[in-house]
Amino acid sequence: MILPLNDVHVRSRMGVKDMYRSISLWITILFVFTGCVYSPTVNPMPTIETVPVAKSEQSAAVGADPFVQRERQKAVFNAELGEVGVLPIQVFVRNDGDRTLWVRPSDITLTLPDGNEIHSSRAAAISALKDPDSAYIIGPLLLFGPVLAIVASSSIEEARSARLKDFQSKEFPDTVLNKNESAHGFVFFVPPREAKSFSNALLNVRLVDNTAHSSFVIQLPLTALDFMRKEVESK
């Protein structure tokens, strides 16, 4: 059967449209599901000998390792935290005395060059900063039907949960240290927007002596940070 020339052109255009629609669908699926998968990474194990900055005072040792480099951030957090204005610092604390020491991430602060002292943020808040925009991802998928959008939404939630669990596992714990015990983990600082860049800062680690019911602060000068806030355009 020979089709009229007009029917051939119509069917040809319909075939091209179907082809482009199919290509767009698979590109969208590939983009969505590669961007909605989070793989936990290995948590580095520091010692007082391996951290770049360390100090011992009052029978306690404190060390710090700022993770400023993008490559190091991606290796540990599977993300560049600098993109959302976060400065992660790995902290190590060891009790060398006979009393017990109480250490909390909320008692660890950072003094910026302008004298502004900022408190650390919890891992849950930092993890949320790296969550993908659900509307930005799921919206285009609705063009191909609700089933794909539902599957994508589930993948996004799974990635969020995995990221949160991983970040919290690497956060410095709220802990009590007996003699010769140590703890380590990351504290996360989000400098204010006016602090767009700085190279030096002072890390303040407050330790509570549970035996003497007192506290003291060990300060570590951090240099060569080269922190620079990267302004991210809103979607």
Side-chain angles (χ1 to χ4, degrees), residues 99-144:
R99 79 300 200 207
T100 59
L101 290 178
W102 184 20
V103 194
R104 300 182 300 176
S106 58
D107 285 335
I108 302 176
T109 63
L110 188 69
T111 303
L112 302 180
D114 61 0
N116 185 19
E117 185 177 5
I118 60 176
H119 289 267
S120 59
S121 298
R122 299 311 301 260
I126 302 303
S127 175
L129 292 175
K130 296 303 296 183
D131 285 342
D133 188 337
S134 300
Y136 177 76
I137 294 176
I138 296 176
L141 293 179
L142 292 174
L143 299 174
F144 303 104

Side-chain angles (χ1 to χ4, degrees), residues 18 38 44 63 80 92 109 126 138 177 204 206 215:
D18 290 340
Y38 182 84
E80 294 181 17
F92 177 91
T109 63
I126 302 303
I138 296 176
L177 302 176
N204 312 292
R206 179 174 175 264
S215 66

Side-chain angles (χ1 to χ4, degrees), residues 200-222:
N200 305 318
L202 190 65
L203 186 69
N204 312 292
V205 181
R206 179 174 175 264
L207 306 175
V208 177
D209 186 334
N210 285 340
T211 304
H213 303 290
S214 61
S215 66
F216 58 97
V217 177
I218 297 180
Q219 296 183 314
L220 297 179
L222 306 179

Side-chain angles (χ1 to χ4, degrees), residues 70-202:
R70 295 180 177 179
E71 295 76 13
R72 299 184 74 197
Q73 292 179 4
K74 292 187 69 174
V76 175
F77 301 105
N78 210 1
E80 294 181 17
L81 298 184
E83 289 185 344
V84 288
V86 176
L87 173 60
I89 300 178
Q90 190 176 39
V91 176
F92 177 91
V93 179
R94 186 181 66 209
N95 181 13
D96 296 327
D98 294 323
R99 79 300 200 207
T100 59
L101 290 178
W102 184 20
V103 194
R104 300 182 300 176
S106 58
D107 285 335
I108 302 176
T109 63
L110 188 69
T111 303
L112 302 180
D114 61 0
N116 185 19
E117 185 177 5
I118 60 176
H119 289 267
S120 59
S121 298
R122 299 311 301 260
I126 302 303
S127 175
L129 292 175
K130 296 303 296 183
D131 285 342
D133 188 337
S134 300
Y136 177 76
I137 294 176
I138 296 176
L141 293 179
L142 292 174
L143 299 174
F144 303 104
V147 175
L148 188 57
I150 292 173
V151 174
S153 178
S154 176
S155 297
I156 291 173
E157 290 305 317
E158 289 179 3
R160 283 176 175 167
S161 179
R163 180 184 295 102
L164 174 59
K165 183 178 179 180
D166 187 41
F167 277 37
Q168 289 178 326
S169 71
K170 295 169 181 174
E171 184 176 25
F172 192 93
D174 186 332
T175 185
V176 174
L177 302 176
N178 296 311
K179 184 176 181 179
N180 296 327
E181 291 182 340
S182 63
H184 71 275
F186 284 89
V187 289
F188 306 92
F189 295 99
V190 184
R193 290 190 175 276
E194 53 268 21
K196 293 185 178 180
S197 63
F198 55 88
S199 296
N200 305 318
L202 190 65

